[in-house]
Structure formats: structure tokens, C-alpha cells
Amino acid sequence: MQRTDYCGKFSAKDIGKKVAVFGWVHSRRDHGGVIFIDLRDREGLLQVVFQPEKKEIFAQAEKLRSEFVLKVVGTIRKRPAGTENPNLPTGEVEVVTEELEIINQCPGLPFEISDYTETSEEMRLKYRYLASRLNPGTFYALPQSPQLFKQIHMVAGFDKYFQMAKCFRDEDLRADRQPEFTQVDLEMSFVEEKDVMSVIEGLISGVFKNVLGKEIKTPFTRMPYAEAMLKYGSDKPDTRFDFKIVDFTEELKNCGFKVFKEAIEKGGVVRGLCVKGGEKFSRSEIDALTVFVGEFGAKGLAWMKITDKGPESNIVKFFSAQDLQTIQKKFISQTGDLLLFLADVPEVVAQGLGALRLKIGKQQNLIDKEKFEFLWVVDFPLLDWDKEDKKWVAMHHPFTSPKLEDISLLESSDNNTIKKARARAYDIVLNGVELGGGSIRIHQEKVQEKMFSVLNITKEDAKKKFGFLLDALSFGAPPHGGIALGLDRFCALLLGEESIREVITFPKTQKAVCPMSGAPDVVADKQLKELGIQVKSKMPPPATGPAPDRIAREK
């Protein structure tokens, strides 16, 4: 990691070492032109010295106040005789500063950290971001609440945090999804993307070695999101088989085939797949593939077969000899191959060809099921355009940090410029399945406000919904990031199971129904009244057969 060690871990044995430490300003003292601070982290305090000879650093040190978040690089030395502090484990040593970075500032706390126990309970609870639960007519539903609380743990100085969390989905289920599932959730302070990735790679390689006796090579491949979508048509590419999408947008922009040319002129793309030995596909099989890509919005599927006489199909006549030669060369196609093309907007082409790649890969037995192929997908777009509501939405969540060099893009009024902003986000993928995702979070209040502004969240709405987070970020938030892994999905992949239902003790169906217990079920009016809830229209119970306890109640 970036730090050499925690502040509270240094002693006389470290004298002479150059170190990097992170933490919060616990106290500041100015003694005759020399400035001292106590730097605090989860393990304790370390005295840091700023000398006037280093004018630039000293000028920065004069601005330091309690709870500023710092990075300090310097050399450990023995404290001068008579200045030792026997009450501190680090009391024999101090750091002479050579580099200082003020990561975040703090305007002033509602109470001194050292006087916490003397502060009123109301004030302490307010700034622990908790609330009384005896409030009829109000609810605890909060978008992204686990994310917010993880971040606040970091602001509080916990530094490292993990939990095995039971999570619940309030959304339509897709295949192989459950309304409740388990996550390995973690968060860390003073980290960059590579640090989080390194921790997860160590965890996963350890699991594979201890559970399956397999050695997993680390570090895992890093693949930019743009490359994943271009070559695999998916942000969770299955890289176990070498069957990539090929782009022909530039090469065919002036071709004679009207479908391709018009798609490119409208801002679309032309991409394709080369199916080795695909000449044997019958016309009805190709028609079935056309219907299949239609499920992803594609209007048609163009094709050519490479025969002894060259490319053959009903569209070959629209291409020049040079175009056909270019297509074959870029595909590295041979006699007996089948070439498949889609022309449309990038999203439709990616989804259609990505799904087609997997379908053909399974049909042709191209996928080595004994392989475990890990990779990180990185450099995601920060934002996505909601065409229906005509507004920007967060690709991951609104607390994901933009890349530092892209923050200025958010100030533009041009959507094409804003669209270029990338996120400090990362997803871990195994065999084409997303195991988990995470990001480096926004830790500065001004950047978070800028993000809310782009998302069309007004200051009033932001204060109402996320005010406690914005308050927390103003009190000296450290840089932090984390990730959540899907435990059920990971277990299913380890065991070679197709569905996570096989590794959950009491799974639900795809319609979120438990066949064993009959849940979900209606609730008695008396219980609803006790909770202060009124149901306007009651839906009939799911058609799974009444559970025994419901039969008893009905009798």
C-alpha cells in the first residue's frame, strides 16, 4: 500500500528510515518557529516536525488545523533529550517532514474528538448518523445506504472494514438472480485502485489454493471498458476462448452496401464475427441467429460464406473487390468460414454480437470449462445518458470518483464532453460472470456537489437525501475505496454450478417466490395497522400452493 506503516507502529528501531504516513491532525503546536503536529490513525499518534528551513512545506504547515487529512513523507529520528513522551508507544521518535500533501481540510468540528464522551447524546447520535426507530409514518428506505455507511466508517477513521452482508434486491429479477443474496463487502482508506485489486487477488488466489488446490496467476489482466465492449460486446467478457468481435466502421464507411453505409453516416458502427468452419451452417440456422440478435434490438444480420470461389452471399455484389479483400484480411478468414455482421448504434451492435459470440461459442464447444479466467474491467464511463428522461445517470453509483484528470469535464455544458469522463471503478470478472464491483469513492465535498449537479440533483435534494454524507465529507474525509463480491455466485463458479440457486439453502424462483413456504404472502390488517401502513389494493398470493401456516389461518 502507499503507507509504510501505521502512525502508532513506529519506535526507536525505525530511526533513520524514510517513511510515508497518512492520518488526521490530532493537535498542532508552534514552538519557537518549529511546528509540531500529532498525526493520528487507527493505531495511534506520531509526532511530525516541520522545520522553517523548508519554506514551502513550513508555509503549508502553518495552515494546518485539527482533522485535516494529510500524507507526510519524512525520516524517523530520535526525539531530542527531555522531549520524549513515555505515555505514547511512539514517544521516543518523531518524523522530520520532507513532503507534505494536504488531502482534505476540515472547517471545524461540532465537538472536539477528545471531548466526545462529554458531548450531549443528541449531538453524538446526530454525528454517528443514526436515528430513533419509533417514528410512525416514516421509513428507513435509503438509496445506496450501505455505500454511504461504508464511506462514513472511513471518515470516522476505521481505516479498514469488511462484513459478510445479507443484501436484498428491490428490482425486477433477471435469470440467475435472487431477491436476497450475500456479499463480501469491504472498504479501505488511503488506497488507490491497484491496492483494492491486490487485496482481492490475494483473497481469491488463497481461496482457490485452499479449496480447489489450484494455483491462480496474479496479477489479473486489466482490460479497459472500451476494449471489452469493442472486442467482446460485454463489460464482463468471457476470455476463455479466442473469438473476438472485429470492427469495420472505418474500412466500410464508403462501401456500396447501403445498410452499412447509412448506419455509419448516422453515427453507428459495423462490426462482425468470423465463425471458423461456419460454412456448414444452413440457411435456417443463420435465420435462427438473425432472430436471436433481434432480441437485442438488431434489425438484421448480414452474412457471407468464404468458399473456394471467394465470399458468397446475397450482399457480396454490393462490395468492391478491395472491400472484400479488406474484410477477409482483417477477419483472418479462410475457406469454410462464416462471416456475420451487425450495423447499428454501438450499444445494439455490442449487445447483439456479444450475445451471439457466447451462443456460438457454446454451440461449437469453443469454451474450455476447466479454465478459470479472471480479469479486471477498468476505466468505465462515469455517466450514462438516460434517453427516456433525458438526463445523466451514474454508471455505478453517484459516489464513485471520476478520474482526477477528468473532473474538469464535468464543468462542460457539452454532453459529448461530459460523456468522456471516466470513473475510478473496477469490476472483477470470472469466466464471463461479474463476481463483484467497486470503486474509489469521492472524498471531497466539492467534487461530490459537482457530481450531484451533473446528475441534476439540486442542492436542496442532495441536502435532504444525502446531507449527512456531505457533512461527513466536510469533516476531513480520507481518500477511500472498496468493493463487494457476490459470495453465492463465487461459490457456484467454484463448484461448477450453472445457477446460484444450487448454493443457497432456501432459494426463490425467478419470480421471487419460495415454493416451500409459499412466501410472499398477504399480511393481516391488524399487523398493517400496528405498523402504520395502508395497502390500497391487495394482490392475490402467488400461485405456488398455500403454505401450511396459511391453510391453518384460513381454517
Side-chain angles (χ1 to χ4, degrees):
M1 301 299 181
Q2 298 181 68
R3 59 158 62 93
T4 305
D5 208 335
Y6 290 101
C7 293
K9 294 290 190 179
F10 295 101
S11 63
K13 65 179 174 54
D14 299 303
I15 291 173
K17 286 184 181 178
K18 186 171 182 177
V19 300
V21 289
F22 293 79
W24 288 261
V25 175
H26 190 70
S27 62
R28 176 184 177 277
R29 305 175 298 282
D30 191 335
H31 292 170
V34 178
I35 295 175
F36 297 87
I37 66 164
D38 287 334
L39 193 66
R40 183 189 76 245
D41 64 16
R42 57 174 284 180
E43 297 295 339
L45 302 175
L46 177 64
Q47 182 164 288
V48 177
V49 183
F50 300 91
Q51 298 175 320
E53 301 87 69
K54 297 185 180 294
K55 294 182 180 179
E56 188 175 335
I57 294 175
F58 193 81
Q60 283 183 285
E62 288 182 313
K63 302 173 184 176
L64 298 180
R65 296 293 181 269
S66 292
E67 301 308 307
F68 274 37
V69 186
L70 308 182
K71 174 186 178 181
V72 173
V73 176
T75 303
I76 300 284
R77 76 176 183 188
K78 184 175 177 59
R79 289 197 193 188
T83 66
E84 301 92 341
N85 185 346
N87 298 318
L88 287 178
T90 61
E92 291 183 78
V93 297
E94 60 190 13
V95 175
V96 181
T97 306
E98 297 168 22
E99 298 175 32
L100 170 64
E101 180 183 345
I102 300 176
I103 295 172
N104 223 336
Q105 301 183 21
C106 180
L109 298 174
F111 50 80
E112 290 296 324
I113 299 297
S114 57
D115 295 332
Y116 179 77
T117 55
E118 303 299 322
T119 306
S120 70
E121 181 183 50
E122 181 179 356
M123 184 69 77
R124 285 190 284 118
L125 287 179
K126 177 180 178 180
Y127 288 97
R128 284 187 71 181
Y129 308 95
L130 301 176
S132 169
R133 50 189 300 254
L134 302 177
N135 295 285
T138 59
F139 299 86
Y140 292 97
L142 176 65
Q144 303 290 350
S145 58
Q147 179 59 48
L148 304 182
F149 293 131
K150 285 198 301 183
Q151 291 188 247
I152 288 172
H153 272 84
M154 300 301 104
V155 177
F158 276 78
D159 189 76
K160 289 191 184 109
Y161 150 97
F162 82 92
Q163 66 172 346
M164 306 289 283
K166 181 64 73 175
C167 306
F168 302 91
R169 296 185 193 276
D170 183 18
E171 59 186 60
D172 293 335
L173 297 181
R174 300 198 298 268
D176 203 27
R177 274 192 159 189
Q178 287 287 286
E180 66 271 320
F181 57 100
T182 306
Q183 281 187 176
V184 181
D185 207 358
L186 58 94
E187 198 82 5
M188 296 176 280
S189 289
F190 303 111
V191 292
E192 297 177 337
E193 294 92 326
K194 60 183 175 62
D195 301 315
V196 181
M197 292 179 185
S198 177
V199 168
I200 295 302
E201 288 170 353
L203 167 66
I204 287 175
S205 62
V207 169
F208 266 78
K209 186 174 182 178
N210 291 313
V211 175
L212 297 181
K214 289 183 177 288
E215 295 286 346
I216 299 295
K217 184 180 177 181
T218 60
F220 302 155
T221 300
R222 271 71 163 160
M223 183 182 293
Y225 170 86
E227 180 183 344
M229 297 303 292
L230 177 66
K231 294 182 179 179
Y232 299 92
S234 171
D235 59 2
K236 45 182 183 295
D238 189 339
T239 55
R240 288 176 294 174
F241 60 114
D242 188 22
F243 183 36
K244 297 185 182 72
I245 297 168
V246 181
D247 184 77
F248 291 97
T249 306
E250 183 63 28
E251 291 84 352
L252 299 179
K253 63 183 179 182
N254 296 316
C255 74
F257 187 40
K258 187 177 179 181
V259 173
F260 286 5
K261 188 177 180 184
E262 289 185 352
I264 296 171
E265 287 174 349
K266 293 177 182 178
V269 297
V270 175
R271 295 172 187 163
L273 290 166
C274 176
V275 184
K276 295 299 178 183
E279 186 188 16
K280 64 180 180 290
F281 277 48
S282 67
R283 184 58 188 267
S284 62
E285 287 175 316
I286 295 175
D287 289 344
L289 296 180
T290 304
V291 172
F292 176 75
V293 295
E295 297 174 9
F296 301 89
K299 300 178 184 69
L301 181 67
W303 59 273
M304 299 178 187
K305 288 183 177 181
I306 308 300
T307 70
D308 292 334
K309 299 177 182 179
E312 291 187 359
S313 82
N314 58 356
I315 66 169
V316 168
K317 60 187 177 184
F318 298 107
F319 295 88
S320 67
Q322 180 62 48
D323 286 340
L324 293 174
Q325 185 178 357
T326 298
I327 289 170
Q328 292 177 83
K329 184 176 180 181
K330 196 166 185 181
F331 264 138
I332 318 178
S333 62
Q334 299 175 332
T335 300
D337 292 346
L338 171 66
L339 312 183
L340 302 171
F341 302 87
L342 283 184
D344 212 310
V345 295
E347 296 81 2
V348 169
V349 171
Q351 290 176 18
L353 289 180
L356 191 59
R357 173 182 180 269
L358 293 175
K359 182 180 181 66
I360 293 173
K362 291 174 183 176
Q363 286 179 347
Q364 302 289 92
N365 294 316
L366 302 178
I367 304 172
D368 183 351
K369 295 185 178 180
E370 298 301 313
K371 268 189 177 182
F372 289 99
E373 288 281 338
F374 286 95
L375 65 91
W376 291 100
V377 177
V378 298
D379 293 345
F380 282 86
L382 180 70
L383 302 162
D384 195 16
W385 182 252
D386 185 330
K387 294 179 182 177
E388 186 175 337
D389 292 333
K390 293 182 172 53
K391 66 176 185 177
W392 291 109
V393 294
M395 176 72 90
H396 283 74
H397 55 66
F399 315 106
T400 296
S401 174
K403 283 188 171 289
L404 301 183
E405 62 268 32
D406 291 352
I407 291 176
S408 61
L409 300 178
L410 301 181
E411 298 172 356
S412 175
S413 58
D414 177 37
N415 277 0
N416 289 327
T417 300
I418 295 173
K419 188 177 182 179
K420 295 176 183 177
R422 295 163 299 163
R424 298 183 69 182
Y426 33 83
D427 280 3
I428 186 166
V429 177
L430 170 58
N431 295 351
V433 177
E434 180 193 332
L435 280 186
S439 66
I440 301 300
R441 325 301 187 188
I442 296 172
H443 70 280
Q444 293 174 317
E445 184 183 12
K446 295 297 182 185
V447 178
Q448 187 65 73
E449 288 176 348
K450 191 173 296 185
M451 184 68 167
F452 284 155
S453 176
V454 173
L455 296 174
N456 202 27
I457 299 174
T458 65
K459 288 186 177 181
E460 293 74 20
D461 282 345
K463 188 69 178 175
K464 182 178 180 181
K465 295 177 180 178
F466 311 113
F468 64 94
L469 174 67
L470 296 176
D471 286 345
L473 294 180
S474 74
F475 295 140
H480 56 284
I483 193 170
L485 298 178
L487 182 62
D488 312 302
R489 199 168 299 282
F490 190 22
C491 290
L493 288 168
L494 281 170
L495 295 171
E497 297 289 353
E498 292 289 330
S499 171
I500 61 172
R501 294 183 181 90
E502 299 300 327
V503 297
I504 296 176
T505 49
F506 302 110
K508 306 291 190 297
T509 67
Q510 196 170 331
K511 293 184 178 180
V513 170
C514 175
M516 182 185 72
S517 66
D521 199 354
V522 294
V523 177
D525 290 337
K526 181 180 179 182
Q527 190 174 3
L528 290 173
K529 188 174 182 181
E530 290 172 353
L531 296 171
I533 297 174
Q534 182 180 6
V535 179
K536 289 188 176 181
S537 61
K538 293 185 179 181
M539 299 294 292
T544 58
D549 62 327
R550 190 161 78 234
I551 295 172
R553 289 199 305 274
E554 288 170 352
K555 287 182 178 177

